[in-house]
Amino acid sequence: MAADEEKYDPTARGPIKNRGCTDIICCIIFIVFILGMIIFGALGFTQGNPRQLILPRDSEGRICGLDDQEGKSTLFYFDLTKCIQNIPATVALGCPTRQVCVASCPTEYSFYVALEAQAILDRDAARKKMVCRPGVNALTDSRTISNMIKDDACASYTLESAPVIGRCVPKALSDAVNSVANVVQNGVQFNITGADNIPLSGDAIKTVQEAMAKMQSAKEIGERLLQDFTASWPFILAAYGVAVIVSFLWIVIMRWIAKPMIYITCIAVLGLLGFGTYYCFNQYMTLKNKQGANATNTFYFTTNFDVYLQNQNVWLGFGSVSAAVLLILILIFLFLLKRIQIALALIKEGSKAVGGMMSTLLWPIFPFLFQVAVVAYWIGSTVYIASAGKPLYVYNGVPNNTGCAWKNGDPCNPKNFSASTNCTGSYCNFKGYGYNVSYPFNQYLPQAEVYFTGVLTFLNQYTWIPQLYNLFGFFWLLFFVQAVNQCVLAGAFASYYWAFDKSKDLPTLPLLGSIGRTLLYHTGSLAFGSFILAVIRMIRILLEYLDHKLKGRENAVAKFFLKCLKCCFYCLEKCIKFLNKNAYIMIAVYGSNFCVSAKKAFFLILSNMVRAVVVDKVTDFLLFIGKVMVVAGVAVFAWYFFSGGIPLQAFKDVNPALNFPPVTVTVIALGTYIIASCFFGVYEMAVDTLFLCFLEDLEINDGTAAKPYFMSKELMNILGKKNNSQVQPADVHAKPDKGETVA
């Protein structure tokens, strides 16, 4: 932004109280969209039941363990091997076999051929072993066992099973089961076959068994982890408390350690490169002067790395590259020295600003809790919406022939479903839940049922629409909360910068004043900026979905362009986040709308690109070191504590015995990283705000009595600038215009 684009206002010293609402249309759209999320959530919460997603359903839609199936809490598959024959179809449409709720899983092996033989001697004993669909009683049914199997009334075989996550899963195969699942019963050997007379291979049964065994193993690991967290949660909270204290202390001492850390790092890098250059050229001269068969000038590729180390040209190349990099870094360091000093001075001022407004360190807690609430609402509403209304059923397992009147995925009704001759082997499987069109909405709003019926009928046909709407709202809200956090902090720190006398001119409650200005006037602008990020994030989600769909395909060109698009939109999101953050700073300072603020921030940074890059990278480096030190310190201490490595009896007495100490330490490390990120995020926002205010200060002020600089004396000394000796704080605060005062 050029200097002539800004008109000097002697009373415009940072955030002002008298400002107007910005981007009102965006604010209205945002509120309407949130109301839409609430409506979808209300539909889900009133019609949904998450237990319907957890508890299994039989083929006719009855929930195992509830209503008329009470006491029958386990689901039994007539032919479990069909579930793994086409896994994608099973995931999308359900397992293509009859499923019934049972009180207990089968406890022995049986199959209908053997049962028919046994029924000759004892009819009731044989039929008691059969598992049949509801309404079919094998003891009283007049059909033969073969006919009941043919009519899909009963399972053709059973295996010794145990309940796992509400499903009957085969136990380990006994030694009596041979390579093709042979079973010996009453001295006669049979092969277990399905209703379609296809023998069941041991491999198929083993595959199902292994899949369910993994689920059982995961369940056991989860139970042990829960035991660990139950025993160690007080220590985890204590570690988080230590992380808060260490993060705060690190920010406080940053004003003293920032400069030594940067200079020591620069000197260390230049020193290592200098030593590397010397060592490479020394090796080159040694090999050059060396006489013998091991010295060679010829370069060739080989798998023996020692050969390269005996080649003088290799060392000459290393030395030349190292010397070139050293020279370039020295020139860059000399060229950027003043800018590095500016960055360090701003970092020092940032530390002072945070120390002068301690409430800013507590503020991120509230946006964090609000984001947690957004995530919780999104998860809850998503689950309830997914289980809302009545169950939907589709045809599954339809054979590939032209004689069948329906196809896989077509809607069906399990209560009157009957597979015709041409559709033998097909089932009417539960797919998901749809909104209940006949729900009595009139009890909440007169004539509401008239308006909702058509909408819900449409949503039942396109069940992905409310979930997609909810997902976009989830991203929009998360980015909006992040925007509010940044704008509030920017307003508080801008108040600090534009206070000419920091000891007297700071507002009494700068953070509360910034919160009020942000929410009262600039909700629309923040919604606008967060909307752009939400759209980009949705596009990235779509690209990830397409990438997942293209896996296993041979279209290399499509994959290449998809990878390029993913990379481009990732970079675009990073750029928009950077631009948005600086736009929010300008909104906090001037109270302008989003587009104007983004334009101001963009041109201001563009005209000071080198300074912006140096300040950004120096700040990132210091914050990275701070996060590493805090996280590593707390995590290492936690590891020694839980592993009993601290040689103090007081620690050993309270040390809980854990099953997986690394997992607990990892949880502590992740929590510490989040805490450190919150604290250092405040510090980073302080530096970014002070930097933009510093650039604006240079643009509109010249150090005269009418236009004094607001920057610190250290920054003025670095730039060789100074205020007129006649400038006093009283001069700066003279004659405020129309009540415009620093908030």
Side-chain angles (χ1 to χ4, degrees), residues 150-438:
K150 184 178 180 181
D151 295 340
D152 199 31
C154 301
S156 61
Y157 69 93
T158 62
L159 299 173
E160 184 181 3
S161 307
V164 176
I165 317 180
R167 276 82 173 170
C168 290
V169 179
K171 289 185 176 180
L173 301 179
S174 66
D175 295 336
V177 181
N178 297 320
S179 58
V180 259
N182 292 328
V183 176
V184 177
Q185 183 171 328
N186 295 332
V188 182
Q189 182 169 307
F190 300 93
N191 291 102
I192 299 180
T193 59
D196 48 8
N197 292 321
I198 299 178
L200 300 177
S201 68
D203 291 338
I205 300 173
K206 184 179 180 182
T207 302
V208 176
Q209 174 193 338
E210 289 176 350
M212 294 301 186
K214 291 179 180 179
M215 298 173 65
Q216 181 68 20
S217 177
K219 179 182 177 182
E220 293 175 356
I221 293 175
E223 291 174 350
R224 296 175 67 184
L225 288 175
L226 182 61
Q227 293 174 359
D228 284 356
F229 292 139
T230 302
S232 62
W233 70 265
F235 303 98
I236 295 177
L237 294 181
Y240 291 161
V242 172
V244 170
I245 296 174
V246 174
S247 299
F248 171 72
L249 293 177
W250 190 272
I251 289 177
V252 171
I253 66 175
M254 188 76 78
R255 70 183 73 173
W256 296 292
I257 67 174
K259 186 177 293 185
M261 285 177 61
I262 292 297
Y263 286 134
I264 289 173
T265 301
C266 292
I267 294 172
V269 171
L270 296 177
L272 288 174
L273 280 173
F275 175 77
T277 302
Y278 161 77
Y279 183 80
C280 290
F281 280 115
N282 182 65
Q283 289 293 104
Y284 166 72
M285 295 302 299
T286 301
L287 292 174
K288 183 178 180 180
N289 297 328
K290 184 178 180 181
Q291 301 296 327
N294 292 331
T296 177
N297 296 329
T298 304
F299 181 85
Y300 57 92
F301 292 101
T302 177
T303 57
N304 187 359
F305 188 74
D306 292 334
V307 173
Y308 297 115
L309 300 181
Q310 298 299 323
N311 191 312
Q312 64 186 39
N313 290 331
V314 171
W315 290 106
L316 177 62
F318 284 159
S320 300
V321 172
S322 179
V325 173
L326 177 62
L327 180 61
I328 293 173
L329 288 181
I330 291 175
L331 293 176
I332 292 176
F333 181 76
L334 295 176
F335 175 72
L336 298 178
L337 181 59
K338 181 177 289 187
R339 292 167 177 81
I340 293 175
Q341 291 175 336
I342 293 174
L344 294 175
L346 287 170
I347 289 170
K348 183 177 180 180
E349 284 299 305
S351 181
K352 290 181 180 179
V354 174
M357 294 181 288
M358 301 294 294
S359 58
T360 56
L361 292 175
L362 300 177
W363 161 249
I365 296 176
F366 299 99
F368 175 75
L369 293 177
F370 196 85
Q371 286 184 323
V372 171
V374 170
V375 173
Y377 176 81
W378 175 71
I379 293 176
S381 60
T382 298
V383 171
Y384 272 90
I385 289 173
S387 64
K390 56 184 180 182
L392 304 177
Y393 299 89
V394 295
Y395 291 111
N396 190 11
V398 178
N400 296 324
N401 58 58
T402 57
C404 188
W406 52 72
K407 60 181 180 179
N408 288 329
D410 287 346
C412 61
N413 187 344
K415 293 183 179 180
N416 55 22
F417 169 78
S418 177
S420 62
T421 304
N422 294 329
C423 300
T424 303
S426 59
Y427 293 91
C428 186
N429 283 140
F430 168 73
K431 177 186 178 183
Y433 294 90
Y435 294 102
N436 189 358
V437 179
S438 60

Side-chain angles (χ1 to χ4, degrees), residues 441-619:
F441 290 103
N442 288 342
Q443 60 180 311
Y444 301 105
L445 183 67
Q447 300 300 318
E449 192 168 347
V450 176
Y451 303 112
F452 275 109
T453 300
V455 175
L456 296 185
T457 302
F458 174 79
L459 292 178
N460 278 336
Q461 296 175 354
Y462 304 96
T463 55
W464 53 270
I465 290 180
Q467 297 289 19
L468 190 65
Y469 186 98
N470 225 27
L471 180 62
F472 181 80
F474 168 69
F475 288 132
W476 196 356
L477 274 174
L478 285 185
F479 288 129
F480 175 78
V481 174
Q482 186 181 41
V484 171
N485 178 43
Q486 293 176 342
C487 193
V488 167
L489 291 175
F493 292 125
S495 298
Y496 172 88
Y497 184 91
W498 295 107
F500 191 80
D501 187 345
K502 303 295 191 285
S503 61
K504 299 179 181 179
D505 300 337
L506 277 176
T508 305
L509 298 171
L511 184 64
L512 288 179
S514 182
I515 294 173
R517 291 190 301 272
T518 299
L519 297 179
L520 185 60
Y521 299 113
H522 307 304
T523 299
S525 297
L526 303 184
F528 189 7
S530 54
F531 172 80
I532 297 173
L533 283 174
V535 170
I536 296 175
R537 179 60 61 85
M538 288 298 292
I539 294 175
R540 291 185 60 197
I541 294 292
L542 175 62
L543 292 175
E544 290 291 343
Y545 173 77
L546 293 177
D547 187 33
H548 176 73
K549 286 295 183 181
L550 286 176
K551 283 184 178 179
R553 307 291 177 85
E554 300 299 329
N555 195 335
V557 177
K559 288 183 179 180
F560 171 76
F561 281 107
L562 190 59
K563 297 292 184 184
C564 292
L565 286 173
K566 289 171 62 178
C567 180
C568 290
F569 276 96
Y570 171 82
C571 296
L572 178 62
E573 182 176 320
K574 292 293 183 183
C575 293
I576 296 298
K577 280 185 176 180
F578 176 79
L579 182 61
N580 278 10
K581 181 171 68 172
N582 291 284
Y584 300 149
I585 294 174
M586 286 300 182
I587 290 173
V589 174
Y590 289 108
S592 51
N593 62 44
F594 177 80
C595 292
V596 172
S597 299
K599 179 183 175 182
K600 282 184 178 181
F602 177 77
F603 284 108
L604 191 61
I605 293 174
L606 186 64
S607 59
N608 297 271
M609 181 63 69
V610 178
R611 286 177 179 171
V613 172
V614 173
V615 170
D616 184 64
K617 296 309 173 186
V618 170
T619 305

Side-chain angles (χ1 to χ4, degrees), residues 665-684:
V665 173
T666 301
V667 171
I668 291 176
L670 290 176
T672 302
Y673 178 80
I674 294 174
I675 292 172
S677 297
C678 290
F679 275 87
F680 290 119
V682 173
Y683 188 79
E684 182 181 13

